Amino acid sequence: MSNQITMRRRSECSLLVIALIFVTCYFSLFPLSNSSSLDEERQALLKSGWWNDYRNVSNHCYWASVLCDEAGSVTSIGLSSLLPFTIPPMQELQNLNVTAFPNLQFLDLNGMGLRGSIPAEIGTLTKLTYLDLSDNSLQDIIKATEDFDIKYCIGTGAYGSVYRAQLPTGKIVALKKLHRIESQNPSFNKSFQNEVKMLTKIRHRNIVKLHGFCLHNRYMFLIYQYMERSSLFYMLNDDVEAGELNWSARVNIIKGMAYALCYIHAS
């Protein structure tokens, strides 16, 4: 009898251990959501003024143009998908407290009639991979270059010119502005959009990072990570700069380019 009791207790202990392991693994994969942070996200959406009709719907993950992860945290806001059915009143972008969404990956506010400046807090969204603020009255970039004054131009190519711009936050970016002829070409418009879609998905150390873009009837430009020493083309065509590129450095550049091309084709 005592042996049976001992075996039953061992069996119960084994089942308990298995249950504890399962619970531990489950919550490591699907952590409990922080109810206070989720409420902060909900309040931020309400204060923006775009979801006033959803005040009686407690779970903001079911609101129009909002997507959440399994923990209930907002990962996507795509209000432009509601247009032209819902056209919000002109308002400040600052009405949307972006810091309330630490897991935000996708933010599409194209054509929302926004005005004012782009909040610097957007730069704190470390998981954000797609940002579209096109066709709004947000003029930070244009002001930073004084409406693309020639003194900010650092290079000109076949399809556009590149400008150095310092934003109000102090961050320096490179702007590739398309020439007017290309911006008015429908086929090039499609090519521009394809480039944006591709670059928003790419994260590689040897490929310059795309921060954003503007697709407007007046302006079409891409906002890139600023490279301090200009382009490889410039360096190779400058005797002093080219002299610094020994064969070892040039081989490393070729390897980096090869890795980047392989990454693009595998994506």
Side-chain angles (χ1 to χ4, degrees):
M1 177 67 74
S2 60
N3 289 336
Q4 292 178 348
I5 294 174
T6 301
M7 291 179 64
R8 185 174 65 185
R9 287 179 176 175
R10 287 178 177 175
S11 177
E12 291 174 348
C13 288
S14 298
L15 290 173
L16 180 60
V17 170
I18 293 173
L20 288 172
I21 293 173
F22 173 79
V23 171
T24 302
C25 292
Y26 178 85
F27 286 115
S28 65
L29 293 173
F30 308 105
L32 286 172
S33 58
N34 188 325
S35 59
S36 61
S37 63
L38 298 187
D39 183 64
E40 184 181 355
E41 290 185 351
R42 181 177 184 274
Q43 293 302 320
L45 292 174
L46 288 174
K47 289 179 180 178
S48 71
W50 290 320
W51 287 274
N52 287 330
D53 295 337
Y54 290 86
R55 291 185 180 275
N56 295 325
V57 183
S58 59
N59 191 344
H60 55 269
C61 295
Y62 293 102
W63 296 4
S65 302
V66 176
L67 295 177
C68 300
D69 57 19
E70 293 178 342
S73 183
V74 175
T75 58
S76 173
I77 298 176
L79 277 172
S80 69
S81 62
L82 295 179
L83 300 175
F85 306 106
T86 302
I87 301 178
M90 179 78 81
Q91 57 183 294
E92 300 283 339
L93 178 57
Q94 288 85 346
N95 289 354
L96 180 65
N97 177 20
V98 294
T99 60
F101 311 101
N103 296 312
L104 191 64
Q105 302 172 21
F106 181 96
L107 180 58
D108 182 3
L109 300 177
N110 177 19
M112 295 301 294
L114 301 172
R115 63 188 177 191
S117 59
I118 301 173
E121 290 78 13
I122 285 181
T124 65
L125 301 177
T126 57
K127 296 184 179 181
L128 189 67
T129 58
Y130 182 90
L131 173 63
D132 187 352
L133 299 174
S134 300
D135 203 13
N136 289 293
S137 299
L138 304 170
Q139 303 295 317
D140 275 351
I141 294 293
I142 297 174
K143 286 183 178 179
T145 58
E146 298 181 37
D147 199 9
F148 296 101
D149 190 285
I150 190 64
K151 66 183 178 183
Y152 295 98
C153 184
I154 57 175
T156 302
Y159 298 105
S161 300
V162 181
Y163 296 79
R164 180 184 184 275
Q166 183 169 0
L167 302 180
T169 59
K171 185 180 183 65
I172 298 176
V173 295
L175 271 66
K176 180 182 177 182
K177 180 178 178 291
L178 273 63
H179 298 317
R180 185 172 295 275
I181 296 176
E182 281 74 23
S183 64
Q184 294 174 348
N185 187 330
S187 61
F188 198 86
N189 189 308
K190 182 65 176 178
S191 176
F192 177 89
Q193 294 184 47
N194 289 336
E195 182 176 356
V196 169
K197 288 179 181 179
M198 181 186 71
L199 289 175
T200 52
K201 298 176 182 178
I202 289 176
R203 289 291 181 272
H204 193 277
R205 65 178 182 176
N206 294 326
I207 301 176
V208 66
K209 184 178 180 180
L210 178 71
H211 291 306
F213 66 95
C214 176
L215 181 59
H216 191 269
N217 56 3
R218 287 188 59 197
Y219 301 105
M220 286 179 65
F221 57 82
L222 300 162
I223 308 170
Y224 287 104
Q225 170 189 0
Y226 180 73
M227 307 299 290
E228 288 291 342
R229 300 190 67 179
S230 189
S231 66
L232 179 61
F233 176 83
Y234 169 81
M235 295 184 70
L236 291 175
N237 283 275
D238 182 273
D239 292 339
V240 177
E241 295 281 354
E244 297 181 12
L245 290 177
N246 55 36
W247 284 111
S248 177
R250 297 187 185 205
V251 169
N252 288 332
I253 290 173
I254 294 171
K255 285 182 179 179
M257 293 173 65
Y259 292 144
L261 287 172
C262 288
Y263 173 83
I264 291 174
H265 286 289
S267 299

